[in-house]
PDB file of all heavy atoms in Angstrom:
ATOM      1  N   PHE A  83      29.862 -12.973  -6.477  1.00  0.00           N
ATOM      2  CA  PHE A  83      31.272 -13.364  -6.363  1.00  0.00           C
ATOM      3  C   PHE A  83      31.518 -14.101  -5.048  1.00  0.00           C
ATOM      4  O   PHE A  83      32.231 -15.118  -5.018  1.00  0.00           O
ATOM      5  CB  PHE A  83      32.165 -12.130  -6.471  1.00  0.00           C
ATOM      6  CG  PHE A  83      33.624 -12.429  -6.508  1.00  0.00           C
ATOM      7  CD1 PHE A  83      34.275 -12.677  -7.717  1.00  0.00           C
ATOM      8  CD2 PHE A  83      34.380 -12.486  -5.334  1.00  0.00           C
ATOM      9  CE1 PHE A  83      35.641 -12.956  -7.751  1.00  0.00           C
ATOM     10  CE2 PHE A  83      35.735 -12.763  -5.362  1.00  0.00           C
ATOM     11  CZ  PHE A  83      36.368 -13.003  -6.574  1.00  0.00           C
ATOM     12  N   TYR A  88      30.982 -16.985 -10.262  1.00  0.00           N
ATOM     13  CA  TYR A  88      31.873 -16.058 -10.955  1.00  0.00           C
ATOM     14  C   TYR A  88      31.337 -15.659 -12.332  1.00  0.00           C
ATOM     15  O   TYR A  88      31.562 -14.525 -12.783  1.00  0.00           O
ATOM     16  CB  TYR A  88      33.263 -16.679 -11.076  1.00  0.00           C
ATOM     17  CG  TYR A  88      33.857 -17.062  -9.740  1.00  0.00           C
ATOM     18  CD1 TYR A  88      34.130 -18.399  -9.433  1.00  0.00           C
ATOM     19  CD2 TYR A  88      34.154 -16.089  -8.782  1.00  0.00           C
ATOM     20  CE1 TYR A  88      34.668 -18.752  -8.198  1.00  0.00           C
ATOM     21  CE2 TYR A  88      34.691 -16.455  -7.560  1.00  0.00           C
ATOM     22  CZ  TYR A  88      34.933 -17.771  -7.272  1.00  0.00           C
ATOM     23  OH  TYR A  88      35.465 -18.121  -6.045  1.00  0.00           O
ATOM     24  N   TYR A  92      30.656 -11.875 -13.281  1.00  0.00           N
ATOM     25  CA  TYR A  92      31.237 -11.235 -14.462  1.00  0.00           C
ATOM     26  C   TYR A  92      30.155 -10.507 -15.257  1.00  0.00           C
ATOM     27  O   TYR A  92      30.375  -9.380 -15.725  1.00  0.00           O
ATOM     28  CB  TYR A  92      31.926 -12.279 -15.341  1.00  0.00           C
ATOM     29  CG  TYR A  92      32.331 -11.748 -16.686  1.00  0.00           C
ATOM     30  CD1 TYR A  92      33.491 -10.995 -16.818  1.00  0.00           C
ATOM     31  CD2 TYR A  92      31.571 -12.009 -17.831  1.00  0.00           C
ATOM     32  CE1 TYR A  92      33.871 -10.492 -18.049  1.00  0.00           C
ATOM     33  CE2 TYR A  92      31.947 -11.514 -19.064  1.00  0.00           C
ATOM     34  CZ  TYR A  92      33.088 -10.749 -19.168  1.00  0.00           C
ATOM     35  OH  TYR A  92      33.467 -10.252 -20.402  1.00  0.00           O
ATOM     36  N   PHE A 126      38.528  -3.812 -12.241  1.00  0.00           N
ATOM     37  CA  PHE A 126      39.287  -4.724 -11.384  1.00  0.00           C
ATOM     38  C   PHE A 126      38.426  -5.921 -10.965  1.00  0.00           C
ATOM     39  O   PHE A 126      38.888  -7.078 -11.004  1.00  0.00           O
ATOM     40  CB  PHE A 126      39.793  -3.971 -10.152  1.00  0.00           C
ATOM     41  CG  PHE A 126      40.597  -4.792  -9.210  1.00  0.00           C
ATOM     42  CD1 PHE A 126      41.957  -5.016  -9.439  1.00  0.00           C
ATOM     43  CD2 PHE A 126      40.017  -5.363  -8.080  1.00  0.00           C
ATOM     44  CE1 PHE A 126      42.707  -5.789  -8.574  1.00  0.00           C
ATOM     45  CE2 PHE A 126      40.771  -6.138  -7.205  1.00  0.00           C
ATOM     46  CZ  PHE A 126      42.124  -6.345  -7.449  1.00  0.00           C
ATOM     47  N   ASN A 127      37.160  -5.672 -10.569  1.00  0.00           N
ATOM     48  CA  ASN A 127      36.283  -6.777 -10.174  1.00  0.00           C
ATOM     49  C   ASN A 127      35.988  -7.702 -11.355  1.00  0.00           C
ATOM     50  O   ASN A 127      35.924  -8.940 -11.206  1.00  0.00           O
ATOM     51  CB  ASN A 127      34.972  -6.219  -9.622  1.00  0.00           C
ATOM     52  CG  ASN A 127      35.147  -5.565  -8.261  1.00  0.00           C
ATOM     53  OD1 ASN A 127      36.247  -5.530  -7.713  1.00  0.00           O
ATOM     54  ND2 ASN A 127      34.053  -5.039  -7.713  1.00  0.00           N
ATOM     55  N   ARG A 128      35.806  -7.108 -12.531  1.00  0.00           N
ATOM     56  CA  ARG A 128      35.548  -7.943 -13.700  1.00  0.00           C
ATOM     57  C   ARG A 128      36.773  -8.791 -14.052  1.00  0.00           C
ATOM     58  O   ARG A 128      36.653  -9.971 -14.446  1.00  0.00           O
ATOM     59  CB  ARG A 128      35.148  -7.058 -14.880  1.00  0.00           C
ATOM     60  CG  ARG A 128      34.623  -7.834 -16.073  1.00  0.00           C
ATOM     61  CD  ARG A 128      34.207  -6.910 -17.199  1.00  0.00           C
ATOM     62  NE  ARG A 128      35.356  -6.268 -17.837  1.00  0.00           N
ATOM     63  CZ  ARG A 128      35.272  -5.474 -18.922  1.00  0.00           C
ATOM     64  NH1 ARG A 128      34.086  -5.216 -19.456  1.00  0.00           N
ATOM     65  NH2 ARG A 128      36.358  -4.939 -19.440  1.00  0.00           N
ATOM     66  N   GLY A 129      37.962  -8.187 -13.905  1.00  0.00           N
ATOM     67  CA  GLY A 129      39.183  -8.949 -14.179  1.00  0.00           C
ATOM     68  C   GLY A 129      39.376 -10.104 -13.208  1.00  0.00           C
ATOM     69  O   GLY A 129      39.752 -11.218 -13.612  1.00  0.00           O
ATOM     70  N   LEU A 130      39.113  -9.896 -11.911  1.00  0.00           N
ATOM     71  CA  LEU A 130      39.239 -10.985 -10.942  1.00  0.00           C
ATOM     72  C   LEU A 130      38.234 -12.106 -11.219  1.00  0.00           C
ATOM     73  O   LEU A 130      38.554 -13.290 -11.051  1.00  0.00           O
ATOM     74  CB  LEU A 130      39.034 -10.450  -9.529  1.00  0.00           C
ATOM     75  CG  LEU A 130      40.220  -9.711  -8.879  1.00  0.00           C
ATOM     76  CD1 LEU A 130      39.857  -9.290  -7.461  1.00  0.00           C
ATOM     77  CD2 LEU A 130      41.481 -10.573  -8.874  1.00  0.00           C
ATOM     78  N   SER A 131      37.042 -11.738 -11.649  1.00  0.00           N
ATOM     79  CA  SER A 131      36.030 -12.765 -11.965  1.00  0.00           C
ATOM     80  C   SER A 131      36.510 -13.653 -13.116  1.00  0.00           C
ATOM     81  O   SER A 131      36.338 -14.893 -13.099  1.00  0.00           O
ATOM     82  CB  SER A 131      34.697 -12.100 -12.325  1.00  0.00           C
ATOM     83  OG  SER A 131      34.196 -11.338 -11.243  1.00  0.00           O
ATOM     84  N   GLN A 132      37.125 -13.025 -14.108  1.00  0.00           N
ATOM     85  CA  GLN A 132      37.632 -13.824 -15.234  1.00  0.00           C
ATOM     86  C   GLN A 132      38.832 -14.678 -14.815  1.00  0.00           C
ATOM     87  O   GLN A 132      39.003 -15.812 -15.320  1.00  0.00           O
ATOM     88  CB  GLN A 132      38.018 -12.885 -16.393  1.00  0.00           C
ATOM     89  CG  GLN A 132      36.815 -12.174 -17.000  1.00  0.00           C
ATOM     90  CD  GLN A 132      37.176 -11.384 -18.232  1.00  0.00           C
ATOM     91  OE1 GLN A 132      37.136 -11.900 -19.365  1.00  0.00           O
ATOM     92  NE2 GLN A 132      37.580 -10.126 -18.021  1.00  0.00           N
ATOM     93  N   LEU A 133      39.668 -14.161 -13.928  1.00  0.00           N
ATOM     94  CA  LEU A 133      40.782 -14.970 -13.456  1.00  0.00           C
ATOM     95  C   LEU A 133      40.290 -16.201 -12.712  1.00  0.00           C
ATOM     96  O   LEU A 133      40.848 -17.298 -12.864  1.00  0.00           O
ATOM     97  CB  LEU A 133      41.695 -14.141 -12.556  1.00  0.00           C
ATOM     98  CG  LEU A 133      42.546 -13.056 -13.247  1.00  0.00           C
ATOM     99  CD1 LEU A 133      43.319 -12.244 -12.217  1.00  0.00           C
ATOM    100  CD2 LEU A 133      43.509 -13.684 -14.245  1.00  0.00           C
ATOM    101  N   TYR A 134      39.235 -16.032 -11.899  1.00  0.00           N
ATOM    102  CA  TYR A 134      38.684 -17.176 -11.184  1.00  0.00           C
ATOM    103  C   TYR A 134      37.941 -18.127 -12.125  1.00  0.00           C
ATOM    104  O   TYR A 134      37.808 -19.317 -11.819  1.00  0.00           O
ATOM    105  CB  TYR A 134      37.753 -16.703 -10.066  1.00  0.00           C
ATOM    106  CG  TYR A 134      38.482 -16.304  -8.802  1.00  0.00           C
ATOM    107  CD1 TYR A 134      38.943 -15.003  -8.623  1.00  0.00           C
ATOM    108  CD2 TYR A 134      38.710 -17.228  -7.800  1.00  0.00           C
ATOM    109  CE1 TYR A 134      39.610 -14.633  -7.467  1.00  0.00           C
ATOM    110  CE2 TYR A 134      39.375 -16.869  -6.644  1.00  0.00           C
ATOM    111  CZ  TYR A 134      39.830 -15.572  -6.479  1.00  0.00           C
ATOM    112  OH  TYR A 134      40.523 -15.221  -5.315  1.00  0.00           O
ATOM    113  N   LEU A 135      37.516 -17.623 -13.266  1.00  0.00           N
ATOM    114  CA  LEU A 135      36.890 -18.492 -14.260  1.00  0.00           C
ATOM    115  C   LEU A 135      37.929 -19.226 -15.114  1.00  0.00           C
ATOM    116  O   LEU A 135      37.587 -20.142 -15.862  1.00  0.00           O
ATOM    117  CB  LEU A 135      35.960 -17.679 -15.166  1.00  0.00           C
ATOM    118  CG  LEU A 135      34.623 -17.216 -14.540  1.00  0.00           C
ATOM    119  CD1 LEU A 135      33.910 -16.265 -15.497  1.00  0.00           C
ATOM    120  CD2 LEU A 135      33.742 -18.424 -14.211  1.00  0.00           C
ATOM    121  N   GLY A 136      39.182 -18.849 -15.006  1.00  0.00           N
ATOM    122  CA  GLY A 136      40.245 -19.476 -15.779  1.00  0.00           C
ATOM    123  C   GLY A 136      40.659 -18.711 -16.993  1.00  0.00           C
ATOM    124  O   GLY A 136      41.553 -19.154 -17.728  1.00  0.00           O
ATOM    125  N   TYR A 137      40.047 -17.515 -17.219  1.00  0.00           N
ATOM    126  CA  TYR A 137      40.438 -16.700 -18.364  1.00  0.00           C
ATOM    127  C   TYR A 137      41.539 -15.732 -17.914  1.00  0.00           C
ATOM    128  O   TYR A 137      41.300 -14.559 -17.621  1.00  0.00           O
ATOM    129  CB  TYR A 137      39.239 -15.924 -18.914  1.00  0.00           C
ATOM    130  CG  TYR A 137      38.096 -16.820 -19.326  1.00  0.00           C
ATOM    131  CD1 TYR A 137      36.923 -16.874 -18.560  1.00  0.00           C
ATOM    132  CD2 TYR A 137      38.190 -17.615 -20.473  1.00  0.00           C
ATOM    133  CE1 TYR A 137      35.874 -17.680 -18.934  1.00  0.00           C
ATOM    134  CE2 TYR A 137      37.129 -18.431 -20.843  1.00  0.00           C
ATOM    135  CZ  TYR A 137      35.981 -18.462 -20.077  1.00  0.00           C
ATOM    136  OH  TYR A 137      34.931 -19.284 -20.442  1.00  0.00           O
ATOM    137  N   THR A 138      42.757 -16.260 -17.921  1.00  0.00           N
ATOM    138  CA  THR A 138      43.870 -15.508 -17.344  1.00  0.00           C
ATOM    139  C   THR A 138      44.209 -14.284 -18.175  1.00  0.00           C
ATOM    140  O   THR A 138      44.395 -13.175 -17.659  1.00  0.00           O
ATOM    141  CB  THR A 138      45.100 -16.402 -17.202  1.00  0.00           C
ATOM    142  OG1 THR A 138      44.752 -17.574 -16.450  1.00  0.00           O
ATOM    143  CG2 THR A 138      46.219 -15.675 -16.492  1.00  0.00           C
ATOM    144  N   ARG A 139      44.356 -14.457 -19.502  1.00  0.00           N
ATOM    145  CA  ARG A 139      44.760 -13.328 -20.341  1.00  0.00           C
ATOM    146  C   ARG A 139      43.724 -12.217 -20.309  1.00  0.00           C
ATOM    147  O   ARG A 139      44.077 -11.052 -20.181  1.00  0.00           O
ATOM    148  CB  ARG A 139      44.992 -13.831 -21.764  1.00  0.00           C
ATOM    149  CG  ARG A 139      45.556 -12.742 -22.704  1.00  0.00           C
ATOM    150  CD  ARG A 139      45.891 -13.347 -24.055  1.00  0.00           C
ATOM    151  NE  ARG A 139      44.691 -13.892 -24.679  1.00  0.00           N
ATOM    152  CZ  ARG A 139      43.812 -13.157 -25.390  1.00  0.00           C
ATOM    153  NH1 ARG A 139      43.981 -11.858 -25.524  1.00  0.00           N
ATOM    154  NH2 ARG A 139      42.767 -13.732 -25.946  1.00  0.00           N
ATOM    155  N   ARG A 140      42.456 -12.574 -20.465  1.00  0.00           N
ATOM    156  CA  ARG A 140      41.403 -11.555 -20.458  1.00  0.00           C
ATOM    157  C   ARG A 140      41.308 -10.903 -19.070  1.00  0.00           C
ATOM    158  O   ARG A 140      41.095  -9.690 -18.974  1.00  0.00           O
ATOM    159  CB  ARG A 140      40.078 -12.193 -20.842  1.00  0.00           C
ATOM    160  CG  ARG A 140      40.051 -12.655 -22.308  1.00  0.00           C
ATOM    161  CD  ARG A 140      38.826 -13.520 -22.590  1.00  0.00           C
ATOM    162  NE  ARG A 140      37.576 -12.820 -22.225  1.00  0.00           N
ATOM    163  CZ  ARG A 140      36.390 -13.393 -22.325  1.00  0.00           C
ATOM    164  NH1 ARG A 140      36.280 -14.681 -22.712  1.00  0.00           N
ATOM    165  NH2 ARG A 140      35.306 -12.710 -22.022  1.00  0.00           N
ATOM    166  N   GLY A 141      41.518 -11.693 -18.054  1.00  0.00           N
ATOM    167  CA  GLY A 141      41.478 -11.125 -16.720  1.00  0.00           C
ATOM    168  C   GLY A 141      42.614 -10.161 -16.462  1.00  0.00           C
ATOM    169  O   GLY A 141      42.410  -9.082 -15.862  1.00  0.00           O
ATOM    170  N   MET A 142      43.822 -10.515 -16.917  1.00  0.00           N
ATOM    171  CA  MET A 142      44.958  -9.612 -16.739  1.00  0.00           C
ATOM    172  C   MET A 142      44.793  -8.335 -17.548  1.00  0.00           C
ATOM    173  O   MET A 142      45.240  -7.266 -17.128  1.00  0.00           O
ATOM    174  CB  MET A 142      46.236 -10.325 -17.103  1.00  0.00           C
ATOM    175  CG  MET A 142      46.627 -11.460 -16.142  1.00  0.00           C
ATOM    176  SD  MET A 142      46.804 -10.910 -14.419  1.00  0.00           S
ATOM    177  CE  MET A 142      48.143  -9.735 -14.575  1.00  0.00           C
ATOM    178  N   ASN A 143      44.146  -8.437 -18.707  1.00  0.00           N
ATOM    179  CA  ASN A 143      43.903  -7.222 -19.497  1.00  0.00           C
ATOM    180  C   ASN A 143      42.991  -6.247 -18.735  1.00  0.00           C
ATOM    181  O   ASN A 143      43.206  -5.026 -18.766  1.00  0.00           O
ATOM    182  CB  ASN A 143      43.273  -7.581 -20.836  1.00  0.00           C
ATOM    183  CG  ASN A 143      44.253  -8.284 -21.765  1.00  0.00           C
ATOM    184  OD1 ASN A 143      45.492  -8.149 -21.610  1.00  0.00           O
ATOM    185  ND2 ASN A 143      43.738  -9.060 -22.720  1.00  0.00           N
ATOM    186  N   ASP A 144      41.990  -6.824 -18.080  1.00  0.00           N
ATOM    187  CA  ASP A 144      41.108  -5.937 -17.295  1.00  0.00           C
ATOM    188  C   ASP A 144      41.857  -5.318 -16.129  1.00  0.00           C
ATOM    189  O   ASP A 144      41.647  -4.137 -15.802  1.00  0.00           O
ATOM    190  CB  ASP A 144      39.904  -6.726 -16.774  1.00  0.00           C
ATOM    191  CG  ASP A 144      38.892  -7.009 -17.876  1.00  0.00           C
ATOM    192  OD1 ASP A 144      38.923  -6.330 -18.920  1.00  0.00           O
ATOM    193  OD2 ASP A 144      38.037  -7.912 -17.683  1.00  0.00           O
ATOM    194  N   LEU A 145      42.739  -6.089 -15.490  1.00  0.00           N
ATOM    195  CA  LEU A 145      43.495  -5.523 -14.381  1.00  0.00           C
ATOM    196  C   LEU A 145      44.427  -4.409 -14.857  1.00  0.00           C
ATOM    197  O   LEU A 145      44.589  -3.382 -14.179  1.00  0.00           O
ATOM    198  CB  LEU A 145      44.294  -6.605 -13.681  1.00  0.00           C
ATOM    199  CG  LEU A 145      43.500  -7.688 -12.930  1.00  0.00           C
ATOM    200  CD1 LEU A 145      44.448  -8.681 -12.278  1.00  0.00           C
ATOM    201  CD2 LEU A 145      42.580  -7.069 -11.895  1.00  0.00           C
ATOM    202  N   ALA A 163      48.166  -6.153  -7.239  1.00  0.00           N
ATOM    203  CA  ALA A 163      47.423  -7.307  -7.748  1.00  0.00           C
ATOM    204  C   ALA A 163      47.933  -7.718  -9.128  1.00  0.00           C
ATOM    205  O   ALA A 163      47.988  -8.917  -9.456  1.00  0.00           O
ATOM    206  CB  ALA A 163      45.930  -6.978  -7.826  1.00  0.00           C
ATOM    207  N   ILE A 164      48.315  -6.760  -9.944  1.00  0.00           N
ATOM    208  CA  ILE A 164      48.864  -7.090 -11.270  1.00  0.00           C
ATOM    209  C   ILE A 164      50.192  -7.830 -11.108  1.00  0.00           C
ATOM    210  O   ILE A 164      50.480  -8.797 -11.838  1.00  0.00           O
ATOM    211  CB  ILE A 164      49.025  -5.801 -12.097  1.00  0.00           C
ATOM    212  CG1 ILE A 164      47.640  -5.193 -12.419  1.00  0.00           C
ATOM    213  CG2 ILE A 164      49.787  -6.098 -13.378  1.00  0.00           C
ATOM    214  CD1 ILE A 164      47.719  -3.847 -13.093  1.00  0.00           C
ATOM    215  N   ASP A 166      51.100  -9.661  -8.614  1.00  0.00           N
ATOM    216  CA  ASP A 166      50.845 -11.001  -8.078  1.00  0.00           C
ATOM    217  C   ASP A 166      49.841 -11.786  -8.908  1.00  0.00           C
ATOM    218  O   ASP A 166      49.442 -12.885  -8.477  1.00  0.00           O
ATOM    219  CB  ASP A 166      50.337 -10.905  -6.633  1.00  0.00           C
ATOM    220  CG  ASP A 166      51.366 -10.271  -5.705  1.00  0.00           C
ATOM    221  OD1 ASP A 166      52.574 -10.348  -6.007  1.00  0.00           O
ATOM    222  OD2 ASP A 166      50.943  -9.682  -4.672  1.00  0.00           O
ATOM    223  N   ARG A 167      49.426 -11.233 -10.071  1.00  0.00           N
ATOM    224  CA  ARG A 167      48.500 -11.888 -10.995  1.00  0.00           C
ATOM    225  C   ARG A 167      47.177 -12.249 -10.318  1.00  0.00           C
ATOM    226  O   ARG A 167      46.552 -13.260 -10.607  1.00  0.00           O
ATOM    227  CB  ARG A 167      49.136 -13.145 -11.594  1.00  0.00           C
ATOM    228  CG  ARG A 167      50.461 -12.842 -12.338  1.00  0.00           C
ATOM    229  CD  ARG A 167      51.020 -14.069 -12.985  1.00  0.00           C
ATOM    230  NE  ARG A 167      50.143 -14.550 -14.088  1.00  0.00           N
ATOM    231  CZ  ARG A 167      50.174 -14.055 -15.335  1.00  0.00           C
ATOM    232  NH1 ARG A 167      51.011 -13.061 -15.645  1.00  0.00           N
ATOM    233  NH2 ARG A 167      49.372 -14.561 -16.253  1.00  0.00           N
ATOM    234  N   GLY A 168      46.753 -11.356  -9.396  1.00  0.00           N
ATOM    235  CA  GLY A 168      45.433 -11.454  -8.801  1.00  0.00           C
ATOM    236  C   GLY A 168      45.246 -12.522  -7.754  1.00  0.00           C
ATOM    237  O   GLY A 168      44.104 -12.759  -7.310  1.00  0.00           O
ATOM    238  N   GLU A 169      46.319 -13.187  -7.356  1.00  0.00           N
ATOM    239  CA  GLU A 169      46.164 -14.253  -6.356  1.00  0.00           C
ATOM    240  C   GLU A 169      46.045 -13.656  -4.955  1.00  0.00           C
ATOM    241  O   GLU A 169      46.740 -12.707  -4.616  1.00  0.00           O
ATOM    242  CB  GLU A 169      47.378 -15.186  -6.421  1.00  0.00           C
ATOM    243  CG  GLU A 169      47.500 -15.940  -7.741  1.00  0.00           C
ATOM    244  CD  GLU A 169      48.709 -16.855  -7.764  1.00  0.00           C
ATOM    245  OE1 GLU A 169      49.433 -16.878  -6.720  1.00  0.00           O
ATOM    246  OE2 GLU A 169      48.933 -17.511  -8.786  1.00  0.00           O
ATOM    247  N   TYR A 171      43.645 -11.937  -3.684  1.00  0.00           N
ATOM    248  CA  TYR A 171      43.039 -10.603  -3.657  1.00  0.00           C
ATOM    249  C   TYR A 171      41.522 -10.742  -3.781  1.00  0.00           C
ATOM    250  O   TYR A 171      41.016 -11.672  -4.406  1.00  0.00           O
ATOM    251  CB  TYR A 171      43.578  -9.725  -4.802  1.00  0.00           C
ATOM    252  CG  TYR A 171      44.996  -9.255  -4.566  1.00  0.00           C
ATOM    253  CD1 TYR A 171      46.093 -10.026  -4.997  1.00  0.00           C
ATOM    254  CD2 TYR A 171      45.241  -8.056  -3.909  1.00  0.00           C
ATOM    255  CE1 TYR A 171      47.388  -9.605  -4.778  1.00  0.00           C
ATOM    256  CE2 TYR A 171      46.543  -7.637  -3.693  1.00  0.00           C
ATOM    257  CZ  TYR A 171      47.611  -8.400  -4.127  1.00  0.00           C
ATOM    258  OH  TYR A 171      48.901  -7.979  -3.905  1.00  0.00           O
TER     259      TYR A 171
END
Side-chain angles (χ1 to χ4, degrees):
F83 186 88
Y88 303 116
Y92 170 80
F126 181 82
N127 289 0
R128 190 178 70 175
L130 281 182
S131 299
Q132 294 187 90
L133 289 176
Y134 278 88
L135 286 172
Y137 302 108
T138 305
R139 186 174 61 84
R140 292 169 55 183
M142 292 303 298
N143 290 338
D144 285 341
L145 293 180
I164 293 173
D166 298 334
R167 302 183 67 83
E169 295 180 0
Y171 286 89

